[in-house]
Amino acid sequence: MFYDFAPQSRFLLGTAGYPSPAILQQAIAASGTDIITVSLRREGAAGAAFRELLTGLDIRVLPNTAGCHTVKEAVTTAQMARELFNTSWIKLEVIGHADTLQPDPFALVEAARILCADGFQVFPYTTEDLIVGEKLLEAGCELLMPWGAPIGSGQGLRNIEGLRAMRAWFSDIPLIIDAGIGAPSQAAQAMEMGFDGILLNTAVAKAGDPVGMANGFRLAIEAGQAARSAGLMEKRDMAAASTPIFGLASLS
C-alpha cells in the first residue's frame, strides 16, 4: 500500500527521455505499471499535449520535484504540481550534490515536514541512511525511497548491506528503490531482498528497445517478488547434496 493506493504492479516508471510519445505509451503499457512519475519541468516543456497524453492513459501520476536544490524551490514546485495534476502525491527530490545527485538530507527533511503539514503525501527520494529515514517518518512521510545508486548511473545496488539494514529496520514501512537500477537482474535482486517496489526511468527510456526493456523489467520485478514470497533458500558454507546418500543402491 502506497498511502491511499494499492498498486497491482510494483513497477513505477518515469516518463522522461523517450524517443517519442508513441514509444512512451507503448513502454508504459508493456511495463504493466500503475504509477508513472512526471517532472514538472518536463510537463512545462511539453505543455498541454503531454498532459493530454497522460490523461488518456488513465494511470496514477506521481509528480516530482526533479532538479530542485533548495527547500523553497522544492516546496514551490510541489505546490504547482498539485494544482496542475490535481493530486496530493509528490515525489520529493532536494538535490545536494551536483555530481552524484545525492539528496541533501537536511533540506529534504525540512521540505518533507512543510509539505506533509500542507496535506501532501510525500514520496521522499533519500539514501539508505537510517537516521534520515527516521527523521522523514517523523516529518510525516509514510514510505521511503532509498537510492540504489546515483540517478541514471545504472550501477544497481551499490550498498547491499546498508539496504538490507534499512529493510530490516523499517520492517513495516513501504520501501521503494529509486535511482541507479540499470538492468532487470538488479531490480529482481532488490525485490528478493524484500523491497516493495522499483522506480526507474533511464534504463527503459534510453534502451535500444524501450518497449522490450519495459517488459523485461516487469518480468524481473514480478519474478523477484514471487521468489521473496515463496521463500528463498538460505546460503550455506558447504555443499549439500540434493539426493541423500542414505538408501543409494550399491553398484560395486
Side-chain angles (χ1 to χ4, degrees):
M1 176 72 74
F2 302 154
Y3 287 106
D4 57 345
F5 185 65
Q8 296 298 307
S9 170
R10 301 305 181 96
F11 187 4
L12 293 74
L13 186 63
T15 56
Y18 287 81
S20 71
I23 291 177
L24 169 60
Q25 286 181 300
Q26 294 168 31
I28 291 171
S31 73
T33 185
D34 297 310
I35 302 170
I36 54 175
T37 64
V38 179
S39 167
L40 195 65
R41 293 185 178 187
R42 172 69 176 85
E43 155 64 23
F50 185 62
R51 187 162 62 251
E52 183 178 347
L53 182 154
L54 298 180
T55 303
L57 294 173
D58 190 27
I59 200 167
R60 194 71 180 255
V61 173
L62 173 60
N64 71 47
T65 63
C68 293
H69 293 260
T70 67
V71 172
K72 182 178 180 180
E73 192 177 11
V75 169
T76 300
T77 300
Q79 292 168 339
M80 293 171 61
R82 180 166 59 183
E83 293 298 319
L84 187 61
F85 294 106
N86 191 30
T87 179
S88 61
W89 278 18
I90 192 71
K91 179 191 169 189
L92 179 61
E93 297 183 24
V94 187
I95 301 303
H97 193 275
D99 291 335
T100 65
L101 301 182
Q102 179 173 327
D104 178 336
F106 308 102
L108 179 66
V109 171
E110 183 180 351
R113 184 174 291 109
I114 293 169
L115 292 172
C116 288
D118 192 27
F120 282 90
Q121 294 173 307
V122 178
F123 292 65
Y125 163 61
T126 182
T127 65
E128 67 277 18
D129 189 293
L130 301 183
I131 298 173
V132 177
E134 291 279 14
K135 296 298 182 182
L136 288 167
L137 296 177
E138 291 172 6
C141 300
E142 296 182 17
L143 56 77
L144 300 171
M145 302 181 71
W147 66 349
I151 294 171
S153 69
Q155 296 178 21
L157 308 180
R158 287 205 310 184
N159 184 0
I160 295 289
E161 294 310 313
L163 290 169
R164 287 191 193 280
M166 190 175 204
R167 177 68 284 179
W169 186 255
F170 299 112
S171 58
D172 297 326
I173 302 298
L175 300 180
I176 302 168
I177 293 293
D178 177 15
I181 297 294
S185 57
Q186 298 166 354
Q189 180 185 25
M191 297 304 294
E192 289 173 0
M193 291 167 59
F195 285 88
D196 299 286
I198 305 293
L199 194 160
L200 59 86
N201 187 162
T202 307
V204 170
K206 300 302 183 182
D209 176 7
V211 179
M213 187 62 75
N215 183 57
F217 271 106
R218 175 183 66 81
L219 295 172
I221 291 169
E222 291 175 356
Q225 184 181 4
R228 173 73 177 192
S229 298
L232 294 161
M233 69 174 290
E234 295 182 4
K235 292 182 179 180
R236 297 172 55 95
D237 293 331
M238 301 291 291
S242 57
T243 303
I245 296 176
F246 179 78
L248 289 180
S250 176
L251 303 179
S252 58

Short mmCIF file of all heavy atoms in Angstrom, two decimals, residues 110-169:
data_model
loop_
_atom_site.label_atom_id
_atom_site.label_comp_id
_atom_site.label_asym_id
_atom_site.label_seq_id
_atom_site.Cartn_x
_atom_site.Cartn_y
_atom_site.Cartn_z
N GLU A 110 13.40 18.97 5.98
CA GLU A 110 12.67 20.23 6.19
C GLU A 110 11.54 20.38 5.18
O GLU A 110 10.41 20.74 5.54
CB GLU A 110 13.62 21.42 6.10
CG GLU A 110 12.94 22.76 6.37
CD GLU A 110 13.89 23.94 6.29
OE1 GLU A 110 15.11 23.72 6.18
OE2 GLU A 110 13.39 25.08 6.31
N ALA A 111 11.84 20.10 3.91
CA ALA A 111 10.82 20.21 2.87
C ALA A 111 9.70 19.19 3.09
O ALA A 111 8.52 19.50 2.91
CB ALA A 111 11.44 20.01 1.49
N ALA A 112 10.07 17.98 3.50
CA ALA A 112 9.07 16.94 3.78
C ALA A 112 8.14 17.39 4.90
O ALA A 112 6.92 17.19 4.83
CB ALA A 112 9.75 15.63 4.14
N ARG A 113 8.69 17.99 5.95
CA ARG A 113 7.87 18.45 7.08
C ARG A 113 6.88 19.52 6.64
O ARG A 113 5.69 19.49 7.00
CB ARG A 113 8.78 18.98 8.19
CG ARG A 113 8.03 19.38 9.44
CD ARG A 113 8.96 19.76 10.57
NE ARG A 113 9.69 18.58 11.08
CZ ARG A 113 10.98 18.34 10.90
NH1 ARG A 113 11.71 19.21 10.19
NH2 ARG A 113 11.55 17.27 11.39
N ILE A 114 7.33 20.45 5.82
CA ILE A 114 6.46 21.51 5.33
C ILE A 114 5.34 20.93 4.46
O ILE A 114 4.16 21.28 4.61
CB ILE A 114 7.28 22.55 4.53
CG1 ILE A 114 8.23 23.30 5.46
CG2 ILE A 114 6.36 23.53 3.81
CD1 ILE A 114 9.25 24.16 4.74
N LEU A 115 5.70 20.04 3.56
CA LEU A 115 4.72 19.50 2.62
C LEU A 115 3.72 18.57 3.31
O LEU A 115 2.52 18.61 3.01
CB LEU A 115 5.43 18.77 1.49
CG LEU A 115 6.24 19.67 0.54
CD1 LEU A 115 7.06 18.84 -0.43
CD2 LEU A 115 5.31 20.62 -0.22
N CYS A 116 4.19 17.74 4.24
CA CYS A 116 3.27 16.85 4.97
C CYS A 116 2.27 17.68 5.77
O CYS A 116 1.08 17.36 5.83
CB CYS A 116 4.04 15.91 5.88
SG CYS A 116 4.95 14.60 5.00
N ALA A 117 2.74 18.77 6.39
CA ALA A 117 1.85 19.64 7.15
C ALA A 117 0.83 20.33 6.25
O ALA A 117 -0.27 20.70 6.70
CB ALA A 117 2.67 20.68 7.91
N ASP A 118 1.17 20.46 4.97
CA ASP A 118 0.29 21.11 3.99
C ASP A 118 -0.63 20.11 3.29
O ASP A 118 -1.31 20.45 2.33
CB ASP A 118 1.15 21.86 2.96
CG ASP A 118 0.33 22.80 2.09
OD1 ASP A 118 -0.73 23.27 2.54
OD2 ASP A 118 0.74 23.04 0.94
N GLY A 119 -0.63 18.86 3.75
CA GLY A 119 -1.55 17.87 3.20
C GLY A 119 -1.01 17.02 2.08
O GLY A 119 -1.75 16.22 1.50
N PHE A 120 0.26 17.15 1.77
CA PHE A 120 0.86 16.31 0.73
C PHE A 120 1.13 14.90 1.25
O PHE A 120 1.38 14.70 2.44
CB PHE A 120 2.17 16.92 0.23
CG PHE A 120 2.01 18.07 -0.72
CD1 PHE A 120 1.91 19.37 -0.24
CD2 PHE A 120 1.95 17.85 -2.09
CE1 PHE A 120 1.77 20.43 -1.12
CE2 PHE A 120 1.81 18.91 -2.97
CZ PHE A 120 1.71 20.21 -2.48
N GLN A 121 1.10 13.95 0.34
CA GLN A 121 1.54 12.59 0.62
C GLN A 121 2.90 12.45 -0.09
O GLN A 121 2.97 12.33 -1.31
CB GLN A 121 0.52 11.57 0.10
CG GLN A 121 -0.80 11.67 0.87
CD GLN A 121 -1.89 10.80 0.29
OE1 GLN A 121 -2.18 10.87 -0.90
NE2 GLN A 121 -2.50 9.98 1.11
N VAL A 122 3.95 12.46 0.71
CA VAL A 122 5.30 12.65 0.19
C VAL A 122 6.03 11.33 -0.02
O VAL A 122 6.07 10.48 0.87
CB VAL A 122 6.12 13.54 1.15
CG1 VAL A 122 7.56 13.70 0.66
CG2 VAL A 122 5.44 14.91 1.30
N PHE A 123 6.59 11.17 -1.21
CA PHE A 123 7.45 10.05 -1.57
C PHE A 123 8.89 10.59 -1.59
O PHE A 123 9.32 11.14 -2.61
CB PHE A 123 7.09 9.51 -2.95
CG PHE A 123 5.75 8.83 -3.06
CD1 PHE A 123 4.57 9.54 -2.88
CD2 PHE A 123 5.67 7.48 -3.40
CE1 PHE A 123 3.34 8.92 -3.01
CE2 PHE A 123 4.45 6.85 -3.53
CZ PHE A 123 3.27 7.56 -3.33
N PRO A 124 9.63 10.48 -0.50
CA PRO A 124 10.94 11.14 -0.44
C PRO A 124 12.07 10.30 -1.04
O PRO A 124 12.30 9.15 -0.65
CB PRO A 124 11.16 11.34 1.06
CG PRO A 124 10.44 10.17 1.69
CD PRO A 124 9.27 9.88 0.81
N TYR A 125 12.78 10.90 -1.98
CA TYR A 125 13.99 10.29 -2.54
C TYR A 125 15.13 10.53 -1.56
O TYR A 125 15.52 11.67 -1.30
CB TYR A 125 14.30 10.92 -3.90
CG TYR A 125 15.71 10.71 -4.41
CD1 TYR A 125 16.18 9.42 -4.65
CD2 TYR A 125 16.55 11.79 -4.66
CE1 TYR A 125 17.48 9.22 -5.11
CE2 TYR A 125 17.83 11.60 -5.14
CZ TYR A 125 18.30 10.32 -5.36
OH TYR A 125 19.57 10.11 -5.82
N THR A 126 15.66 9.45 -0.98
CA THR A 126 16.63 9.57 0.09
C THR A 126 17.77 8.57 -0.14
O THR A 126 17.82 7.90 -1.18
CB THR A 126 15.95 9.35 1.45
OG1 THR A 126 16.90 9.52 2.50
CG2 THR A 126 15.33 7.96 1.55
N THR A 127 18.67 8.49 0.82
CA THR A 127 19.72 7.48 0.79
C THR A 127 19.31 6.34 1.73
O THR A 127 18.20 6.34 2.27
CB THR A 127 21.07 8.07 1.24
OG1 THR A 127 20.97 8.44 2.63
CG2 THR A 127 21.45 9.27 0.40
N GLU A 128 20.21 5.40 1.95
CA GLU A 128 19.93 4.28 2.85
C GLU A 128 20.25 4.62 4.31
O GLU A 128 20.26 3.73 5.17
CB GLU A 128 20.68 3.03 2.41
CG GLU A 128 22.19 3.08 2.52
CD GLU A 128 22.88 3.75 1.34
OE1 GLU A 128 22.20 4.48 0.57
OE2 GLU A 128 24.09 3.56 1.18
N ASP A 129 20.47 5.87 4.62
CA ASP A 129 20.79 6.31 5.98
C ASP A 129 19.58 6.12 6.89
O ASP A 129 18.51 6.69 6.66
CB ASP A 129 21.21 7.78 5.95
CG ASP A 129 21.77 8.26 7.28
OD1 ASP A 129 20.99 8.34 8.24
OD2 ASP A 129 22.98 8.55 7.35
N LEU A 130 19.76 5.36 7.98
CA LEU A 130 18.65 5.06 8.87
C LEU A 130 18.16 6.27 9.64
O LEU A 130 16.96 6.43 9.90
CB LEU A 130 19.05 3.95 9.86
CG LEU A 130 19.48 2.61 9.25
CD1 LEU A 130 19.78 1.61 10.36
CD2 LEU A 130 18.42 2.07 8.31
N ILE A 131 19.08 7.15 10.02
CA ILE A 131 18.69 8.33 10.79
C ILE A 131 17.86 9.28 9.93
O ILE A 131 16.82 9.80 10.37
CB ILE A 131 19.93 9.06 11.35
CG1 ILE A 131 20.69 8.13 12.31
CG2 ILE A 131 19.54 10.35 12.05
CD1 ILE A 131 22.01 8.68 12.80
N VAL A 132 18.28 9.48 8.69
CA VAL A 132 17.49 10.31 7.78
C VAL A 132 16.11 9.69 7.58
O VAL A 132 15.09 10.39 7.56
CB VAL A 132 18.21 10.50 6.43
CG1 VAL A 132 17.34 11.30 5.47
CG2 VAL A 132 19.55 11.20 6.63
N GLY A 133 16.07 8.38 7.44
CA GLY A 133 14.79 7.70 7.29
C GLY A 133 13.87 7.95 8.47
O GLY A 133 12.68 8.23 8.31
N GLU A 134 14.42 7.85 9.67
CA GLU A 134 13.63 8.10 10.88
C GLU A 134 13.09 9.53 10.88
O GLU A 134 11.92 9.77 11.23
CB GLU A 134 14.49 7.88 12.13
CG GLU A 134 14.87 6.43 12.38
CD GLU A 134 13.76 5.64 13.07
OE1 GLU A 134 12.61 6.14 13.10
OE2 GLU A 134 14.04 4.54 13.56
N LYS A 135 13.94 10.50 10.52
CA LYS A 135 13.52 11.90 10.52
C LYS A 135 12.41 12.15 9.49
O LYS A 135 11.49 12.94 9.73
CB LYS A 135 14.71 12.80 10.23
CG LYS A 135 15.81 12.77 11.29
CD LYS A 135 15.31 13.25 12.64
CE LYS A 135 16.42 13.26 13.67
NZ LYS A 135 15.93 13.67 15.02
N LEU A 136 12.48 11.48 8.35
CA LEU A 136 11.45 11.64 7.32
C LEU A 136 10.12 11.08 7.80
O LEU A 136 9.05 11.66 7.56
CB LEU A 136 11.89 10.96 6.03
CG LEU A 136 13.00 11.67 5.26
CD1 LEU A 136 13.57 10.75 4.18
CD2 LEU A 136 12.50 12.97 4.64
N LEU A 137 10.16 9.96 8.48
CA LEU A 137 8.93 9.38 9.04
C LEU A 137 8.35 10.29 10.11
O LEU A 137 7.13 10.50 10.19
CB LEU A 137 9.20 7.99 9.58
CG LEU A 137 9.63 6.94 8.56
CD1 LEU A 137 9.95 5.62 9.25
CD2 LEU A 137 8.57 6.73 7.48
N GLU A 138 9.22 10.85 10.95
CA GLU A 138 8.76 11.78 11.98
C GLU A 138 8.14 13.03 11.35
O GLU A 138 7.22 13.64 11.92
CB GLU A 138 9.93 12.19 12.87
CG GLU A 138 10.46 11.07 13.77
CD GLU A 138 11.73 11.45 14.49
OE1 GLU A 138 12.15 12.63 14.38
OE2 GLU A 138 12.32 10.59 15.17
N ALA A 139 8.64 13.40 10.16
CA ALA A 139 8.11 14.58 9.47
C ALA A 139 6.72 14.34 8.89
O ALA A 139 6.02 15.30 8.53
CB ALA A 139 9.07 15.00 8.36
N GLY A 140 6.33 13.07 8.79
CA GLY A 140 5.00 12.75 8.28
C GLY A 140 4.97 11.85 7.06
O GLY A 140 3.89 11.49 6.59
N CYS A 141 6.13 11.48 6.53
CA CYS A 141 6.17 10.55 5.39
C CYS A 141 5.72 9.16 5.85
O CYS A 141 6.00 8.76 6.99
CB CYS A 141 7.57 10.47 4.81
SG CYS A 141 8.21 12.04 4.19
N GLU A 142 5.07 8.42 4.98
CA GLU A 142 4.60 7.08 5.31
C GLU A 142 5.33 6.00 4.52
O GLU A 142 5.03 4.82 4.66
CB GLU A 142 3.10 6.98 5.10
CG GLU A 142 2.30 7.89 6.03
CD GLU A 142 0.81 7.76 5.85
OE1 GLU A 142 0.35 6.77 5.24
OE2 GLU A 142 0.07 8.66 6.30
N LEU A 143 6.26 6.41 3.69
CA LEU A 143 7.11 5.47 2.96
C LEU A 143 8.43 6.15 2.66
O LEU A 143 8.57 7.37 2.80
CB LEU A 143 6.44 4.97 1.67
CG LEU A 143 5.94 5.98 0.63
CD1 LEU A 143 7.09 6.54 -0.21
CD2 LEU A 143 4.93 5.34 -0.29
N LEU A 144 9.43 5.37 2.25
CA LEU A 144 10.75 5.89 1.94
C LEU A 144 11.20 5.35 0.59
O LEU A 144 10.85 4.23 0.20
CB LEU A 144 11.76 5.48 3.01
CG LEU A 144 11.46 5.94 4.44
CD1 LEU A 144 12.42 5.28 5.43
CD2 LEU A 144 11.54 7.47 4.55
N MET A 145 12.01 6.16 -0.11
CA MET A 145 12.51 5.77 -1.43
C MET A 145 14.03 5.88 -1.46
O MET A 145 14.58 6.87 -1.97
CB MET A 145 11.86 6.64 -2.51
CG MET A 145 10.35 6.56 -2.51
SD MET A 145 9.56 7.56 -3.80
CE MET A 145 10.00 6.63 -5.24
N PRO A 146 14.74 4.90 -0.92
CA PRO A 146 16.20 4.96 -0.93
C PRO A 146 16.77 4.71 -2.32
O PRO A 146 16.22 3.93 -3.11
CB PRO A 146 16.59 3.83 0.03
CG PRO A 146 15.48 2.85 -0.08
CD PRO A 146 14.23 3.68 -0.25
N TRP A 147 17.89 5.36 -2.60
CA TRP A 147 18.54 5.12 -3.89
C TRP A 147 19.27 3.78 -3.88
O TRP A 147 19.70 3.29 -2.85
CB TRP A 147 19.48 6.27 -4.25
CG TRP A 147 20.70 6.46 -3.37
CD1 TRP A 147 20.97 5.86 -2.18
CD2 TRP A 147 21.80 7.33 -3.65
NE1 TRP A 147 22.16 6.30 -1.68
CE2 TRP A 147 22.71 7.20 -2.57
CE3 TRP A 147 22.12 8.19 -4.69
CZ2 TRP A 147 23.90 7.91 -2.51
CZ3 TRP A 147 23.30 8.90 -4.62
CH2 TRP A 147 24.17 8.76 -3.55
N GLY A 148 19.39 3.18 -5.05
CA GLY A 148 20.26 2.03 -5.21
C GLY A 148 21.66 2.50 -5.55
O GLY A 148 22.66 1.94 -5.10
N ALA A 149 21.73 3.54 -6.35
CA ALA A 149 22.98 4.16 -6.81
C ALA A 149 22.61 5.54 -7.36
O ALA A 149 21.41 5.86 -7.46
CB ALA A 149 23.65 3.30 -7.87
N PRO A 150 23.59 6.38 -7.71
CA PRO A 150 23.25 7.69 -8.26
C PRO A 150 22.31 7.62 -9.45
O PRO A 150 22.36 6.67 -10.24
CB PRO A 150 24.62 8.26 -8.66
CG PRO A 150 25.56 7.63 -7.67
CD PRO A 150 25.04 6.24 -7.48
N ILE A 151 21.46 8.62 -9.58
CA ILE A 151 20.45 8.70 -10.64
C ILE A 151 21.11 8.52 -12.01
O ILE A 151 22.09 9.17 -12.34
CB ILE A 151 19.73 10.06 -10.58
CG1 ILE A 151 18.92 10.18 -9.29
CG2 ILE A 151 18.84 10.25 -11.80
CD1 ILE A 151 18.35 11.57 -9.05
N GLY A 152 20.54 7.63 -12.80
CA GLY A 152 20.99 7.44 -14.17
C GLY A 152 22.30 6.69 -14.32
O GLY A 152 22.81 6.56 -15.44
N SER A 153 22.87 6.18 -13.21
CA SER A 153 24.19 5.53 -13.30
C SER A 153 24.12 4.08 -13.73
O SER A 153 25.08 3.53 -14.25
CB SER A 153 24.91 5.62 -11.94
OG SER A 153 24.25 4.79 -10.97
N GLY A 154 23.00 3.41 -13.48
CA GLY A 154 22.86 2.00 -13.85
C GLY A 154 23.74 1.06 -13.04
O GLY A 154 23.95 -0.08 -13.43
N GLN A 155 24.23 1.52 -11.90
CA GLN A 155 25.15 0.70 -11.10
C GLN A 155 24.44 -0.34 -10.24
O GLN A 155 25.10 -1.20 -9.64
CB GLN A 155 26.00 1.60 -10.20
CG GLN A 155 26.92 2.52 -10.97
CD GLN A 155 27.72 3.44 -10.05
OE1 GLN A 155 27.90 3.15 -8.86
NE2 GLN A 155 28.21 4.54 -10.58
N GLY A 156 23.13 -0.27 -10.14
CA GLY A 156 22.42 -1.24 -9.32
C GLY A 156 22.47 -0.91 -7.84
O GLY A 156 22.48 0.26 -7.45
N LEU A 157 22.52 -1.94 -7.00
CA LEU A 157 22.51 -1.75 -5.55
C LEU A 157 23.95 -1.67 -5.05
O LEU A 157 24.60 -2.68 -4.82
CB LEU A 157 21.76 -2.91 -4.88
CG LEU A 157 20.36 -3.19 -5.44
CD1 LEU A 157 19.72 -4.35 -4.70
CD2 LEU A 157 19.48 -1.95 -5.38
N ARG A 158 24.46 -0.45 -4.87
CA ARG A 158 25.87 -0.27 -4.51
C ARG A 158 26.16 -0.64 -3.06
O ARG A 158 27.25 -1.10 -2.74
CB ARG A 158 26.31 1.17 -4.75
CG ARG A 158 26.48 1.55 -6.19
CD ARG A 158 27.44 2.70 -6.36
NE ARG A 158 27.13 3.84 -5.49
CZ ARG A 158 27.80 4.99 -5.52
NH1 ARG A 158 28.80 5.15 -6.38
NH2 ARG A 158 27.46 5.99 -4.71
N ASN A 159 25.20 -0.42 -2.19
CA ASN A 159 25.42 -0.69 -0.76
C ASN A 159 24.42 -1.75 -0.30
O ASN A 159 23.42 -1.44 0.35
CB ASN A 159 25.27 0.60 0.05
CG ASN A 159 25.58 0.40 1.53
OD1 ASN A 159 25.93 -0.70 1.97
ND2 ASN A 159 25.45 1.46 2.31
N ILE A 160 24.71 -2.99 -0.63
CA ILE A 160 23.80 -4.09 -0.33
C ILE A 160 23.52 -4.18 1.17
O ILE A 160 22.37 -4.29 1.61
CB ILE A 160 24.37 -5.43 -0.83
CG1 ILE A 160 24.46 -5.42 -2.37
CG2 ILE A 160 23.52 -6.59 -0.35
CD1 ILE A 160 23.14 -5.49 -3.06
N GLU A 161 24.58 -4.15 1.98
CA GLU A 161 24.39 -4.32 3.42
C GLU A 161 23.61 -3.16 4.02
O GLU A 161 22.79 -3.34 4.93
CB GLU A 161 25.74 -4.51 4.11
CG GLU A 161 26.45 -5.79 3.73
CD GLU A 161 25.55 -7.01 3.86
OE1 GLU A 161 24.87 -7.14 4.91
OE2 GLU A 161 25.51 -7.83 2.94
N GLY A 162 23.87 -1.95 3.54
CA GLY A 162 23.12 -0.80 4.03
C GLY A 162 21.64 -0.90 3.71
O GLY A 162 20.78 -0.57 4.53
N LEU A 163 21.33 -1.37 2.51
CA LEU A 163 19.94 -1.54 2.11
C LEU A 163 19.27 -2.68 2.86
O LEU A 163 18.10 -2.60 3.23
CB LEU A 163 19.86 -1.77 0.60
CG LEU A 163 20.18 -0.53 -0.26
CD1 LEU A 163 20.34 -0.92 -1.72
CD2 LEU A 163 19.10 0.54 -0.11
N ARG A 164 20.03 -3.75 3.12
CA ARG A 164 19.47 -4.84 3.94
C ARG A 164 19.14 -4.34 5.35
O ARG A 164 18.10 -4.68 5.91
CB ARG A 164 20.47 -5.99 4.02
CG ARG A 164 20.63 -6.80 2.75
CD ARG A 164 21.44 -8.08 3.03
NE ARG A 164 21.87 -8.71 1.80
CZ ARG A 164 21.08 -9.48 1.04
NH1 ARG A 164 19.83 -9.70 1.40
NH2 ARG A 164 21.56 -10.02 -0.07
N ALA A 165 20.03 -3.53 5.90
CA ALA A 165 19.80 -2.99 7.23
C ALA A 165 18.56 -2.09 7.23
O ALA A 165 17.76 -2.11 8.17
CB ALA A 165 21.02 -2.21 7.70
N MET A 166 18.41 -1.31 6.18
CA MET A 166 17.25 -0.43 6.09
C MET A 166 15.96 -1.24 6.01
O MET A 166 14.96 -0.93 6.66
CB MET A 166 17.38 0.49 4.88
CG MET A 166 16.36 1.61 4.84
SD MET A 166 16.67 2.74 3.46
CE MET A 166 15.85 4.22 4.09
N ARG A 167 15.99 -2.30 5.20
CA ARG A 167 14.80 -3.14 5.07
C ARG A 167 14.44 -3.78 6.41
O ARG A 167 13.27 -3.87 6.77
CB ARG A 167 15.05 -4.21 4.01
CG ARG A 167 13.92 -5.23 3.81
CD ARG A 167 12.66 -4.62 3.21
NE ARG A 167 11.87 -3.83 4.18
CZ ARG A 167 10.74 -3.19 3.87
NH1 ARG A 167 10.28 -3.22 2.63
NH2 ARG A 167 10.07 -2.51 4.79
N ALA A 168 15.46 -4.23 7.15
CA ALA A 168 15.22 -4.86 8.44
C ALA A 168 14.74 -3.85 9.48
O ALA A 168 13.84 -4.15 10.28
CB ALA A 168 16.49 -5.56 8.92
N TRP A 169 15.32 -2.66 9.49
CA TRP A 169 14.99 -1.66 10.50
C TRP A 169 13.59 -1.10 10.30
O TRP A 169 12.82 -0.94 11.26
CB TRP A 169 16.01 -0.53 10.46
CG TRP A 169 15.85 0.47 11.56
CD1 TRP A 169 15.33 1.73 11.45
CD2 TRP A 169 16.17 0.29 12.94
NE1 TRP A 169 15.32 2.36 12.66
CE2 TRP A 169 15.84 1.49 13.61
CE3 TRP A 169 16.74 -0.76 13.66
CZ2 TRP A 169 16.03 1.66 14.97
CZ3 TRP A 169 16.93 -0.58 15.03
CH2 TRP A 169 16.57 0.61 15.67
#
